[in-house]
């Protein structure tokens, strides 16, 4: 109980000494009501985990997609007809495009999507450009051999790939890309160029698409009409920005749907806030008593804030840490499958300082700021109330 | 009391003058500073390679506007003087300004220019500025605003104009005062 004091100096000295005892008082107050405290802690922790999971996952995938787009070719040209994608005569396409002013480093690719053991995988034929980008020490795959990403195969053994409408083919896995290559190589299979052509149904002189770079990024859009004119077939041309925009918009749509799906959880947070408010009102008599024996309004506000911080800080920090572990701990790729309904093998995610910290900070802020605001508001109301009202009719 | 007021007024005037002087010194561009002081700007650390590839260091600055060309390597240009000094520019506009008024910017005569290198807009390949075709008035934006771009062939110029509507095409040998005034209208910085 607050001590009785007589002089101003004594009051000031006592208040200075109370700083730490107030925190102890707040902690003991929380322990005196274990059920309410644990409920609050658990609710805040769950909210922090949920919000951080959504935000950090979105930030991490968006950052990885941005990095992938930055490394990708400026323009991708695909031949199409009314039925969809068609193979491209490689030499003819290269010759026609090479004459277009502004085209830098045109090359054809052999790549497509087939069914792997765990879901759809991206097959890439090991042409010169692909070989140049293989990690150091990784051998070029020969006929019947495959280099695979970490998410393609569940364990050791041969790789079976099934193209749509054709019979399956088996390959010997000679190397797995390290998990550290993240989204870029997660579900990729690199095959000998001839094997890839056979698997994708391409003739010897055909390619799946044609890609090229431009010196100035802004030139990509301006180049599209010239490219379309230069090629003799209907083509679909996409720029790096188009592809990044599609990816990010799909991600944002998904994140929005997830947030909507978690509206009940957000409502639970609102109920928690209401419960906290009631907690403050129910204890008005106690605050009235404190003020009657000499506590200042600032002391009562401090008590509320200490109480909120003692519950909120571990819950928020623990929630952020738990979300980080669920996302980035090796072997926990299930969370992205669960949240984002990943079609193929879910990718391993890797913590990057910029996007990871931004997501965690934002998540903690989204939960922490409203919580602290509520604590402050209820504390302020209790601190500024008339002590007599609290003692006589404070609902205790 | 009135003496005190006068003294305070003098102090305020001096303070304001100092503030204005420091502000105008900060606003002075490197080129103006060089021209007024009679000194030359700091030369780049490395000249372009024999094949024209620019070797821009992080600390090299455009002698006209003070930007760091290493941060904008795609639009950079280079000038090598006969005495061996090299200057890298943030863009072709600053290179042309220096070429046009070499004494003002580099404290050296125009005859001292030995070599100028620009980058082909489409391929990025180094070009001899004297051989390049230049296009101004297009919708392409460079580090200093509307860009003057350089290209290696007339065919490239034709395609560029079709895509970006460049109004004025020229080569350095045809750049007279009349054309200069169209490119850089007097009174505009």
């Amino acid at each position: 109980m607050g001590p009785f004091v007589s002089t101003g100096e004594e009051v000031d000295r006592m208040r200075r000494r109370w700083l730490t005892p107030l925190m102890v008082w707040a902690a003991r107050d929380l322990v005196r009501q274990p059920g309410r405290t644990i409920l609050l802690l658990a609710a805040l922790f769950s909210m922090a985990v949920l919000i951080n999971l959504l935000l950090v996952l979105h930030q991490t995938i968006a950052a990885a997609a941005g990095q992938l787009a930055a490394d990708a070719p400026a323009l991708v040209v695909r031949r199409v007809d009314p039925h969809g994608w068609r193979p491209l005569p490689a030499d003819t396409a290269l010759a026609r495009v090479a004459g277009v002013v502004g085209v830098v480093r045109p090359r054809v690719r052999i790549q497509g999507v087939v069914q792997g053991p765990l879901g759809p995988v991206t097959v890439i034929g090991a042409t010169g450009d692909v070989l140049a980008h293989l990690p150091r020490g990784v051998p070029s795959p020969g006929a019947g051999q495959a280099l695979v990403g970490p998410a393609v195969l569940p364990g050791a053994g041969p790789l079976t790939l099934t193209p749509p409408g054709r019979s399956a083919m088996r390959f010997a896995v000679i190397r797995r890309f390290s998990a550290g290559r993240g989204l870029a190589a997660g579900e990729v299979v690199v095959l000998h160029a001839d094997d890839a052509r056979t698997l994708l149904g391409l003739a010897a002189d055909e390619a799946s698409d044609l890609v090229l770079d431009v010196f100035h990024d802004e030139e990509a859009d301006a180049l599209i009409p010239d490219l379309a004119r230069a090629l003799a077939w209907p083509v679909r041309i996409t720029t790096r920005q188009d592809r990044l925009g599609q990816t990010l918009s799909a991600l944002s749509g998904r994140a929005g749907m997830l947030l909507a799906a978690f509206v009940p959880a957000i409502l639970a947070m609102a109920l928690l806030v209401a419960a906290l408010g009631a907690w403050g009102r129910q204890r008005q008599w106690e605050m009235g008593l404190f003020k009657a024996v000499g506590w200042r309004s600032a002391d009562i506000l401090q008590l509320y804030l200490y109480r909120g911080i003692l519950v909120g800080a571990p819950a928020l920090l623990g929630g952020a840490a738990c979300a980080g572990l669920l996302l980035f701990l090796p072997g926990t790729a299930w969370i992205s499958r669960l949240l984002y309904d990943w079609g193929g093998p879910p990718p391993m995610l890797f913590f990057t300082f910029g996007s990871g910290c931004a997501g965690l900070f934002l998540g903690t802020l989204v939960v922490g700021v409203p919580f602290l605001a509520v604590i402050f508001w209820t504390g302020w109301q209790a601190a500024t109330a008339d002590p007599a009202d609290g003692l006589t009719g404070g609902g205790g | 009391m009135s003496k005190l007021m006068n003294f305070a007024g003098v102090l305020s005037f001096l303070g304001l003058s100092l503030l204005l002087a420091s502000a105008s010194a900060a606003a002075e561009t490197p080129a103006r500073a060089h021209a007024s002081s009679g000194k030359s700007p700091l030369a780049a650390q490395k000249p372009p390679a024999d094949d024209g590839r620019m070797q821009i260091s992080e600390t090299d600055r455009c002698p006209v506007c003070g930007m760091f060309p290493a941060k904008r390597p795609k639009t950079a240009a280079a000038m090598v003087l006969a005495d061996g000094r090299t200057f890298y520019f943030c863009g072709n506009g600053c290179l042309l300004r220096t070429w046009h008024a070499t004494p003002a910017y580099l404290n050296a005569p125009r005859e001292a220019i030995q070599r100028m290198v620009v980058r082909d807009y489409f391929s990025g390949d180094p070009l001899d500025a004297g051989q390049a075709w230049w296009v101004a008035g297009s919708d392409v934006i460079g580090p200093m605003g509307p860009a003057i771009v350089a290209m290696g062939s007339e065919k490239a110029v034709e395609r560029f104009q079709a895509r970006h509507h460049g109004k004025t095409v020229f080569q350095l040998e045809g750049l007279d005062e009349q054309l200069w005034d169209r490119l850089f209208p007097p009174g505009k910085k």
Side-chain angles (χ1 to χ4, degrees):
Chain A
M1 195 62 66
F4 291 93
V5 288
S6 53
T7 67
E9 276 183 24
E10 274 181 83
V11 170
D12 286 342
R13 199 166 54 246
M14 192 63 70
R15 279 172 190 149
R16 276 198 294 275
R17 279 208 305 272
W18 278 13
L19 282 177
T20 307
L22 251 182
M23 200 182 286
V24 176
W25 188 299
R28 293 180 68 182
D29 194 32
L30 289 170
V31 172
R32 274 198 296 273
Q33 304 185 55
R36 201 183 279 269
T37 303
I38 289 170
L39 182 70
L40 182 59
L41 196 76
L44 267 176
F45 177 82
S46 311
M47 282 299 298
V49 171
L50 201 62
I51 299 278
N52 274 303
L53 270 180
L54 291 175
L55 289 175
V56 179
L57 184 61
H58 181 263
Q59 291 270 0
T60 304
I61 297 175
Q67 185 57 49
L68 278 180
D71 296 339
L75 286 158
V76 176
V77 182
R78 308 202 111 195
R79 184 182 175 186
V80 290
D81 69 6
H83 304 290
W85 166 83
R86 297 283 303 145
L88 203 67
D91 292 339
T92 312
L94 279 174
R96 285 173 176 267
V97 161
V100 176
V101 173
V103 168
V104 175
R105 229 165 58 84
R107 63 256 184 217
V108 289
R109 296 193 303 192
I110 302 163
Q111 83 175 52
V113 176
V114 298
Q115 192 65 26
L118 297 175
V121 295
T122 304
V123 166
I124 298 177
T127 53
D129 191 51
V130 174
L131 293 174
H133 284 87
L134 285 180
R136 187 177 291 174
V138 173
S140 166
Q145 295 179 329
L147 308 170
V148 298
V152 171
L153 266 179
L159 169 70
T160 304
L161 298 175
T162 314
R166 281 192 297 279
S167 54
M169 291 176 72
R170 289 179 68 142
F171 299 92
V173 176
I174 57 168
R175 187 70 66 94
R176 271 173 192 266
F177 295 119
S178 72
R181 302 193 71 76
L183 280 179
E187 43 75 61
V188 160
V189 177
V190 180
L191 300 175
H192 187 272
D194 291 341
D195 284 345
R197 278 199 184 92
T198 309
L199 195 66
L200 299 171
L202 300 172
D205 62 341
E206 287 181 333
S208 39
D209 57 23
L210 182 146
V211 297
L212 53 98
D213 294 322
V214 290
F215 183 61
H216 289 283
D217 289 341
E218 308 80 44
E219 200 58 22
D221 283 317
L223 201 58
I224 291 174
D226 284 6
L227 281 174
R229 253 194 311 275
L231 294 165
W233 331 276
V235 286
R236 181 168 182 265
I237 303 172
T238 50
T239 66
R240 187 185 288 145
Q241 285 307 315
D242 291 339
R243 294 191 299 279
L244 181 62
Q246 284 166 5
T247 307
L248 292 183
S249 112
L251 274 176
S252 299
R254 182 76 197 164
M257 284 170 63
L258 276 172
L259 274 176
F262 287 116
V263 162
I266 293 163
L267 281 177
M269 178 74 174
L271 285 174
L272 188 73
V273 167
L276 262 172
W279 188 3
R281 280 192 296 277
Q282 282 166 10
R283 302 186 65 185
Q284 280 293 320
W285 64 270
E286 198 178 347
M287 296 303 127
L289 191 62
F290 288 165
K291 288 183 95 172
V293 297
W295 284 39
R296 294 181 311 167
S297 298
D299 298 328
I300 291 171
L301 188 59
Q302 269 186 33
L303 179 68
Y304 268 78
L305 287 176
Y306 279 141
R307 217 160 47 187
I309 288 167
L310 284 173
V311 177
L316 295 179
L317 293 177
C322 183
L325 285 176
L326 279 173
L327 285 174
F328 302 117
L329 198 70
T332 52
W334 58 269
I335 198 77
S336 42
R337 185 197 286 272
L338 184 73
L339 288 178
Y340 269 60
D341 193 23
W342 217 269
M348 297 290 297
L349 298 172
F350 296 93
F351 184 80
T352 50
F353 189 78
S355 59
C357 285
L360 287 173
F361 178 72
L362 196 63
T364 308
L365 217 62
V366 164
V367 184
V369 168
F371 174 69
L372 275 181
V374 165
I375 292 288
F376 186 84
W377 176 245
T378 49
W380 180 261
Q381 280 189 320
T384 54
D386 187 333
D389 287 349
L391 286 170
T392 54
Chain B
M1 188 65 185
S2 66
K3 276 186 182 177
L4 195 65
M5 291 289 283
N6 283 341
F7 184 65
V10 169
L11 271 184
S12 310
F13 175 75
L14 282 175
L16 193 64
S17 306
L18 272 174
L19 199 68
L20 285 174
S22 60
S24 70
E28 197 170 34
T29 63
R32 281 188 191 171
H34 303 318
S36 59
S37 67
K39 290 179 185 171
S40 301
L42 212 57
Q45 293 184 22
K46 292 179 190 169
D50 289 341
D51 62 0
R53 192 171 41 85
M54 295 178 216
Q55 305 185 89
I56 309 170
S57 305
E58 295 290 323
T59 53
D60 295 342
R61 297 185 79 151
C62 175
V64 177
C65 64
M67 285 192 199
F68 291 97
K71 291 183 179 174
R72 301 159 188 83
K74 289 189 174 182
T75 59
M79 179 183 283
V80 183
L81 301 186
D83 61 11
R85 285 183 297 155
T86 295
F87 296 95
Y88 290 111
F89 299 85
C90 65
N92 295 339
C94 286
L95 175 85
L96 285 177
R97 283 176 189 273
T98 307
W99 171 81
H100 184 255
T102 319
Y105 288 105
L106 300 184
N107 199 23
R110 187 190 285 187
E111 294 72 38
I113 299 172
Q114 188 184 58
R115 183 183 176 207
M116 291 195 293
V117 181
V118 291
R119 301 192 78 161
D120 181 87
Y121 175 79
F122 287 119
S123 67
D125 293 338
L127 294 173
D128 177 353
Q131 304 296 316
W133 291 87
W134 302 75
V135 183
S138 69
D139 58 12
V140 174
I141 303 295
M144 299 289 284
I148 299 176
V149 300
M151 274 156 276
S153 69
E154 286 183 88
K155 184 190 172 193
V157 169
E158 188 186 314
R159 287 317 306 154
F160 180 86
Q161 285 186 298
R163 292 176 195 166
H164 300 288
H165 319 293
K167 288 177 197 160
T168 311
V169 181
F170 61 95
Q171 285 197 291
L172 277 191
E173 61 185 12
L175 181 51
D176 53 20
E177 288 303 317
Q178 194 182 354
L179 179 55
W180 180 264
D181 286 347
R182 271 168 51 205
L183 295 177
F184 301 97
K188 273 193 175 181
K189 286 182 183 175

